[in-house]
Amino acid sequence: VVVQVAKLTTIEKNIIHAGMSAQIKIALSQGKKIKISLKAVTIKKGVSSVMLMKNGKATLITVQTGNTSLNQVEILTGLNAGDEIVLSN
């Protein structure tokens, strides 16, 4: 399997080099899952949360996360399809 990395940070460029190999586990998802940007999730004291826009106000809510990719995370509980979230910089 060949994996193409879309964009590497400067730190990652210094660590990852052409020709390297890795052992990975590929998790196949079943059904439709909610996936959001990792930038939207904050973790404090082991608790994951996101800012949810509700009635024009941002509210911090707790979420349970699942599989994580390079820039996305699966949300198992806490969000519904169509919810609007706030991304941090």
Side-chain angles (χ1 to χ4, degrees):
V1 174
V2 175
V3 176
Q4 182 177 2
V5 179
K7 187 174 182 181
L8 296 175
T9 66
T10 303
I11 294 171
E12 291 167 335
K13 287 178 185 177
N14 291 327
I15 297 171
I16 300 172
H17 303 283
M20 293 179 78
S21 64
Q23 286 188 323
I24 62 170
K25 292 182 181 180
I26 299 175
L28 302 176
S29 62
Q30 296 179 352
K32 293 184 179 181
K33 306 285 183 173
I34 297 175
K35 290 185 180 179
I36 62 172
S37 170
L38 279 172
K39 293 180 180 181
V41 179
T42 57
I43 301 171
K44 290 186 181 177
K45 296 183 181 180
V47 177
S48 299
S49 56
V50 299
M51 294 296 289
L52 175 68
M53 288 299 294
K54 193 170 186 177
N55 299 324
K57 294 183 180 181
T59 305
L60 188 67
I61 62 162
T62 301
V63 294
Q64 180 182 1
T65 59
N67 294 325
T68 302
S69 67
L70 188 60
N71 57 3
Q72 288 191 322
V73 61
E74 180 181 58
I75 303 298
L76 302 176
T77 63
L79 286 178
N80 296 305
D83 284 346
E84 291 185 40
I85 58 171
V86 178
L87 294 178
S88 62
N89 291 333

